[in-house]
Amino acid sequence: MSCGSLTYGFDYECNDGIGGIKQGSILITQWDNVEAYVEAGGIVTGITQAATTNFYRYQVRKFIASNTAAGVSDPKMGTKSFTSTFNFTLFNMSASKNVNLQLLMSKPVAVIYQDNNDKYFVIGISNGAEALTVDAATGTDKQDMNGYTINITAEEKHFPLEVDSTVVSGLSISGDLS
């Protein structure tokens, strides 16, 4: 995005939005599986996936996934950057999840998610995102969670980009890790 003048303001907004990530909407692939993407006006209108690669669907329950993004500008250095932090939980520890989550931590990834307003967004598309922490916990009491809390962070030159829904429907998506 070039340096320029503001192009518009914002009118008073209606109270018609809803927070959160839509249940079952998390798609993750290794970053090097995204060969190219096309972005116009903050919207991804095309993604070229490497041949024989997949985005993997993580089926998670509602109310346990979130993304926050923060922009930081340093006028002294003339720089700005945006940090997105994506968190979600998987229940029930298992050997297969241990292996898969170790692989998730081994290379940069791209994460697409759908919010509860039915808009898709992506983090890690331009620089890759990193699974910085994966915490496994058995819990203490019987009603405690047994599972994993995953934290994926992306440092990029923009807020999470919106992804056109037709792009998502054209992706090769496989596997459910629930």
Side-chain angles (χ1 to χ4, degrees):
M1 177 181 257
S2 64
C3 184
S5 299
L6 290 173
T7 56
Y8 57 89
F10 294 95
D11 198 0
Y12 185 78
E13 296 182 286
C14 298
N15 295 338
D16 60 355
I18 185 170
I21 305 295
K22 194 166 228 173
Q23 183 174 338
S25 74
I26 301 169
L27 306 173
I28 301 176
T29 193
Q30 290 179 321
W31 181 57
D32 54 7
N33 291 342
V34 177
E35 292 182 334
Y37 69 97
V38 177
E39 178 262 327
I43 299 174
V44 174
T45 58
I47 292 177
T48 304
Q49 252 178 283
T52 70
T53 64
N54 291 306
F55 275 81
Y56 290 92
R57 183 179 311 278
Y58 284 65
Q59 291 279 5
V60 299
R61 297 178 187 176
K62 59 185 174 181
F63 309 127
I64 61 165
S66 68
N67 186 69
T68 59
V72 176
S73 176
D74 186 340
K76 187 169 43 172
M77 292 295 166
T79 59
K80 68 178 178 217
S81 64
F82 299 85
T83 302
S84 292
T85 305
F86 190 83
N87 297 295
F88 65 100
T89 301
L90 295 174
F91 296 108
N92 302 319
M93 294 172 59
S94 70
S96 63
K97 287 179 184 171
N98 286 344
V99 170
N100 196 330
L101 292 172
Q102 288 174 42
L103 291 171
L104 179 70
M105 294 181 77
S106 68
K107 292 177 84 174
V109 295
V111 178
I112 296 175
Y113 61 91
Q114 184 180 23
D115 71 10
N116 281 324
N117 298 297
D118 291 326
K119 292 186 179 185
Y120 289 95
F121 293 91
V122 63
I123 67 167
I125 191 94
S126 58
N127 291 323
E130 304 283 343
L132 295 181
T133 61
V134 175
D135 297 322
T138 61
T140 304
D141 294 324
K142 290 182 181 177
Q143 69 273 15
D144 289 348
M145 183 193 79
N146 176 295
Y148 308 87
T149 303
I150 297 97
N151 171 287
I152 299 174
T153 302
E155 296 277 341
E156 299 185 286
K157 61 183 180 180
H158 47 72
F159 279 116
L161 297 173
E162 189 173 336
V163 181
D164 187 282
S165 62
T166 60
V167 172
V168 176
S169 64
L171 295 173
S172 176
I173 300 171
S174 179
D176 289 336
L177 183 60
S178 52

